[in-house]
PDB file of all heavy atoms in Angstrom:
ATOM      1  N   VAL A 393     -12.957   8.452  -3.615  1.00  0.00           N
ATOM      2  CA  VAL A 393     -12.514   8.371  -2.226  1.00  0.00           C
ATOM      3  C   VAL A 393     -13.685   9.018  -1.434  1.00  0.00           C
ATOM      4  O   VAL A 393     -14.071  10.179  -1.650  1.00  0.00           O
ATOM      5  CB  VAL A 393     -11.264   9.200  -1.959  1.00  0.00           C
ATOM      6  CG1 VAL A 393     -10.790   9.096  -0.462  1.00  0.00           C
ATOM      7  CG2 VAL A 393     -10.124   8.728  -2.902  1.00  0.00           C
ATOM      8  N   ILE A 394     -14.149   8.292  -0.510  1.00  0.00           N
ATOM      9  CA  ILE A 394     -15.336   8.686   0.376  1.00  0.00           C
ATOM     10  C   ILE A 394     -14.870   9.199   1.712  1.00  0.00           C
ATOM     11  O   ILE A 394     -14.191   8.525   2.480  1.00  0.00           O
ATOM     12  CB  ILE A 394     -16.283   7.533   0.592  1.00  0.00           C
ATOM     13  CG1 ILE A 394     -16.754   6.975  -0.850  1.00  0.00           C
ATOM     14  CG2 ILE A 394     -17.557   8.011   1.315  1.00  0.00           C
ATOM     15  CD1 ILE A 394     -17.095   5.564  -0.816  1.00  0.00           C
ATOM     16  N   CYS A 395     -15.184  10.428   1.971  1.00  0.00           N
ATOM     17  CA  CYS A 395     -14.786  11.156   3.205  1.00  0.00           C
ATOM     18  C   CYS A 395     -15.975  11.394   4.147  1.00  0.00           C
ATOM     19  O   CYS A 395     -17.109  11.352   3.670  1.00  0.00           O
ATOM     20  CB  CYS A 395     -14.077  12.470   2.866  1.00  0.00           C
ATOM     21  SG  CYS A 395     -12.625  12.285   1.877  1.00  0.00           S
ATOM     22  N   THR A 396     -15.684  11.736   5.368  1.00  0.00           N
ATOM     23  CA  THR A 396     -16.718  11.894   6.290  1.00  0.00           C
ATOM     24  C   THR A 396     -17.544  13.199   6.084  1.00  0.00           C
ATOM     25  O   THR A 396     -18.695  13.195   6.531  1.00  0.00           O
ATOM     26  CB  THR A 396     -16.168  11.899   7.778  1.00  0.00           C
ATOM     27  OG1 THR A 396     -15.117  12.928   7.876  1.00  0.00           O
ATOM     28  CG2 THR A 396     -15.667  10.531   8.137  1.00  0.00           C
ATOM     29  N   ASP A 397     -16.975  14.212   5.545  1.00  0.00           N
ATOM     30  CA  ASP A 397     -17.669  15.507   5.310  1.00  0.00           C
ATOM     31  C   ASP A 397     -16.948  16.262   4.216  1.00  0.00           C
ATOM     32  O   ASP A 397     -15.886  15.928   3.732  1.00  0.00           O
ATOM     33  CB  ASP A 397     -17.714  16.296   6.654  1.00  0.00           C
ATOM     34  CG  ASP A 397     -16.370  16.608   7.228  1.00  0.00           C
ATOM     35  OD1 ASP A 397     -15.518  17.227   6.565  1.00  0.00           O
ATOM     36  OD2 ASP A 397     -16.172  16.170   8.411  1.00  0.00           O
ATOM     37  N   ASP A 398     -17.600  17.394   3.811  1.00  0.00           N
ATOM     38  CA  ASP A 398     -17.157  18.250   2.662  1.00  0.00           C
ATOM     39  C   ASP A 398     -15.749  18.883   2.982  1.00  0.00           C
ATOM     40  O   ASP A 398     -14.928  18.868   2.075  1.00  0.00           O
ATOM     41  CB  ASP A 398     -18.177  19.294   2.419  1.00  0.00           C
ATOM     42  CG  ASP A 398     -19.563  18.850   2.029  1.00  0.00           C
ATOM     43  OD1 ASP A 398     -19.750  17.562   1.928  1.00  0.00           O
ATOM     44  OD2 ASP A 398     -20.405  19.644   1.754  1.00  0.00           O
ATOM     45  N   ASP A 399     -15.591  19.331   4.154  1.00  0.00           N
ATOM     46  CA  ASP A 399     -14.330  20.052   4.467  1.00  0.00           C
ATOM     47  C   ASP A 399     -13.153  19.014   4.453  1.00  0.00           C
ATOM     48  O   ASP A 399     -12.057  19.302   3.985  1.00  0.00           O
ATOM     49  CB  ASP A 399     -14.406  20.643   5.857  1.00  0.00           C
ATOM     50  CG  ASP A 399     -15.318  21.913   5.875  1.00  0.00           C
ATOM     51  OD1 ASP A 399     -15.581  22.431   4.757  1.00  0.00           O
ATOM     52  OD2 ASP A 399     -15.812  22.199   6.946  1.00  0.00           O
ATOM     53  N   THR A 400     -13.365  17.848   5.035  1.00  0.00           N
ATOM     54  CA  THR A 400     -12.397  16.799   5.004  1.00  0.00           C
ATOM     55  C   THR A 400     -12.001  16.391   3.550  1.00  0.00           C
ATOM     56  O   THR A 400     -10.804  16.179   3.215  1.00  0.00           O
ATOM     57  CB  THR A 400     -12.895  15.485   5.762  1.00  0.00           C
ATOM     58  OG1 THR A 400     -13.040  15.936   7.085  1.00  0.00           O
ATOM     59  CG2 THR A 400     -11.770  14.486   5.807  1.00  0.00           C
ATOM     60  N   ALA A 401     -12.981  16.282   2.726  1.00  0.00           N
ATOM     61  CA  ALA A 401     -12.807  15.891   1.352  1.00  0.00           C
ATOM     62  C   ALA A 401     -11.933  16.948   0.650  1.00  0.00           C
ATOM     63  O   ALA A 401     -10.958  16.569  -0.113  1.00  0.00           O
ATOM     64  CB  ALA A 401     -14.094  15.747   0.543  1.00  0.00           C
ATOM     65  N   ALA A 402     -12.216  18.265   0.891  1.00  0.00           N
ATOM     66  CA  ALA A 402     -11.435  19.200   0.254  1.00  0.00           C
ATOM     67  C   ALA A 402     -10.009  19.239   0.779  1.00  0.00           C
ATOM     68  O   ALA A 402      -9.013  19.393  -0.034  1.00  0.00           O
ATOM     69  CB  ALA A 402     -12.057  20.677   0.566  1.00  0.00           C
ATOM     70  N   ALA A 403      -9.777  19.074   2.060  1.00  0.00           N
ATOM     71  CA  ALA A 403      -8.415  19.011   2.617  1.00  0.00           C
ATOM     72  C   ALA A 403      -7.598  17.762   2.061  1.00  0.00           C
ATOM     73  O   ALA A 403      -6.492  17.840   1.668  1.00  0.00           O
ATOM     74  CB  ALA A 403      -8.540  18.938   4.135  1.00  0.00           C
ATOM     75  N   ARG A 404      -8.287  16.626   2.137  1.00  0.00           N
ATOM     76  CA  ARG A 404      -7.658  15.367   1.624  1.00  0.00           C
ATOM     77  C   ARG A 404      -7.356  15.407   0.141  1.00  0.00           C
ATOM     78  O   ARG A 404      -6.369  14.933  -0.275  1.00  0.00           O
ATOM     79  CB  ARG A 404      -8.456  14.119   1.919  1.00  0.00           C
ATOM     80  CG  ARG A 404      -8.648  13.891   3.452  1.00  0.00           C
ATOM     81  CD  ARG A 404      -7.255  13.817   4.182  1.00  0.00           C
ATOM     82  NE  ARG A 404      -7.495  13.625   5.629  1.00  0.00           N
ATOM     83  CZ  ARG A 404      -7.220  14.653   6.444  1.00  0.00           C
ATOM     84  NH1 ARG A 404      -6.622  15.784   6.097  1.00  0.00           N
ATOM     85  NH2 ARG A 404      -7.463  14.478   7.764  1.00  0.00           N
ATOM     86  N   ALA A 405      -8.224  16.068  -0.623  1.00  0.00           N
ATOM     87  CA  ALA A 405      -7.949  16.279  -2.043  1.00  0.00           C
ATOM     88  C   ALA A 405      -6.733  17.055  -2.358  1.00  0.00           C
ATOM     89  O   ALA A 405      -5.882  16.707  -3.178  1.00  0.00           O
ATOM     90  CB  ALA A 405      -9.129  16.877  -2.782  1.00  0.00           C
ATOM     91  N   ASP A 406      -6.609  18.142  -1.499  1.00  0.00           N
ATOM     92  CA  ASP A 406      -5.364  18.996  -1.658  1.00  0.00           C
ATOM     93  C   ASP A 406      -4.147  18.219  -1.274  1.00  0.00           C
ATOM     94  O   ASP A 406      -3.098  18.299  -1.929  1.00  0.00           O
ATOM     95  CB  ASP A 406      -5.523  20.266  -0.712  1.00  0.00           C
ATOM     96  CG  ASP A 406      -6.454  21.212  -1.259  1.00  0.00           C
ATOM     97  OD1 ASP A 406      -6.890  21.175  -2.394  1.00  0.00           O
ATOM     98  OD2 ASP A 406      -6.885  22.099  -0.507  1.00  0.00           O
ATOM     99  N   TRP A 407      -4.306  17.427  -0.173  1.00  0.00           N
ATOM    100  CA  TRP A 407      -3.161  16.566   0.261  1.00  0.00           C
ATOM    101  C   TRP A 407      -2.697  15.518  -0.836  1.00  0.00           C
ATOM    102  O   TRP A 407      -1.596  15.402  -1.090  1.00  0.00           O
ATOM    103  CB  TRP A 407      -3.505  15.896   1.559  1.00  0.00           C
ATOM    104  CG  TRP A 407      -2.462  15.004   2.195  1.00  0.00           C
ATOM    105  CD1 TRP A 407      -1.292  15.327   2.741  1.00  0.00           C
ATOM    106  CD2 TRP A 407      -2.593  13.588   2.191  1.00  0.00           C
ATOM    107  NE1 TRP A 407      -0.508  14.317   3.113  1.00  0.00           N
ATOM    108  CE2 TRP A 407      -1.353  13.139   2.873  1.00  0.00           C
ATOM    109  CE3 TRP A 407      -3.482  12.610   1.887  1.00  0.00           C
ATOM    110  CZ2 TRP A 407      -1.102  11.735   3.168  1.00  0.00           C
ATOM    111  CZ3 TRP A 407      -3.234  11.357   2.239  1.00  0.00           C
ATOM    112  CH2 TRP A 407      -2.087  10.915   2.760  1.00  0.00           C
ATOM    113  N   LEU A 408      -3.753  14.877  -1.334  1.00  0.00           N
ATOM    114  CA  LEU A 408      -3.440  13.855  -2.385  1.00  0.00           C
ATOM    115  C   LEU A 408      -2.825  14.509  -3.608  1.00  0.00           C
ATOM    116  O   LEU A 408      -1.903  13.961  -4.172  1.00  0.00           O
ATOM    117  CB  LEU A 408      -4.727  13.078  -2.829  1.00  0.00           C
ATOM    118  CG  LEU A 408      -5.220  12.113  -1.750  1.00  0.00           C
ATOM    119  CD1 LEU A 408      -6.638  11.613  -2.229  1.00  0.00           C
ATOM    120  CD2 LEU A 408      -4.247  10.940  -1.617  1.00  0.00           C
TER     121      LEU A 408
END
Side-chain angles (χ1 to χ4, degrees):
V393 181
I394 304 154
C395 298
T396 54
D397 57 59
D398 299 2
D399 292 337
T400 300
R404 297 303 174 248
D406 290 344
W407 177 70
L408 286 171

